[in-house]
Amino acid sequence: MEIEGKIIAVLPKQEGTSARTGNHWASQEYVLETHDQYPRKCCFRIFGEERINAMNIQAGEELRVSFDIDAREYNGRYFNTLTAWRVDRIDPAAMAQQGAPYAQPAPMSGGFPPAPPMQPQAPAAQPTNAAPFPPAQENSTDDLPF
């Protein structure tokens, strides 16, 4: 899945050593806010010291994040984890040219794209001396006006 928005929080890095393998591990979480009409927040994580350093995410950056969703059970409750596997930086100038910040609205949950905005339509101009029907033809065999 993908989501676009601005990084509003960089949470502290978590580190440790695996009890099973004895290897060092690191994980860092970030909070992204979308630019939808009603902005949403999404917390995702990056796992691995090398990936954290390579992606080098900073607060205030505009990103497109590709991630996997996983759920785990703990004491009868389920918790979701969003793990990013790709991060692309979005050029703010390109967003401004597209009509930011609402250039690409997210699709609705039912899988249907949002409806285009309604535009008021001007009434059609009517000639001031126009008759409701065209004039009848002389020698016409029917009496219908059309």
Side-chain angles (χ1 to χ4, degrees):
M1 295 191 77
E2 280 187 352
I3 193 167
E4 291 182 9
K6 181 178 184 176
I7 298 295
I8 61 170
V10 177
L11 303 178
K13 187 188 308 184
Q14 299 171 345
E15 299 180 81
T17 303
S18 171
R20 188 171 42 117
T21 64
N23 293 337
H24 177 76
W25 62 268
S27 175
Q28 189 160 13
E29 293 182 329
Y30 306 87
V31 180
L32 179 137
E33 184 175 49
T34 66
H35 296 296
D36 297 333
Q37 181 179 2
Y38 302 104
R40 296 174 289 168
K41 294 180 179 80
C42 173
C43 182
F44 66 93
R45 76 175 186 151
I46 297 177
F47 189 81
E49 187 78 37
E50 302 83 27
R51 287 187 183 123
I52 294 169
N53 293 336
M55 293 183 186
N56 191 27
I57 297 173
Q58 304 296 318
E61 286 186 305
E62 293 288 336
L63 303 177
R64 178 181 302 113
V65 180
S66 300
F67 57 90
D68 290 326
I69 302 173
D70 193 23
R72 65 190 182 292
E73 185 265 338
Y74 179 75
N75 289 337
R77 295 186 64 192
Y78 284 85
F79 299 89
N80 291 323
T81 302
L82 307 177
T83 304
W85 53 271
R86 181 177 176 177
V87 173
D88 296 317
R89 285 168 172 75
I90 300 173
D91 183 18
M95 285 183 59
Q97 289 176 350
Q98 294 177 355
Y102 305 110
Q104 296 178 347
M108 301 301 288
S109 61
F112 298 103
M118 297 291 292
Q119 297 291 331
Q121 294 183 358
Q126 296 289 332
T128 56
N129 60 356
F133 299 106
Q137 300 284 334
E138 292 188 27
N139 301 338
S140 176
T141 58
D142 64 11
D143 59 348
L144 296 175
F146 50 89

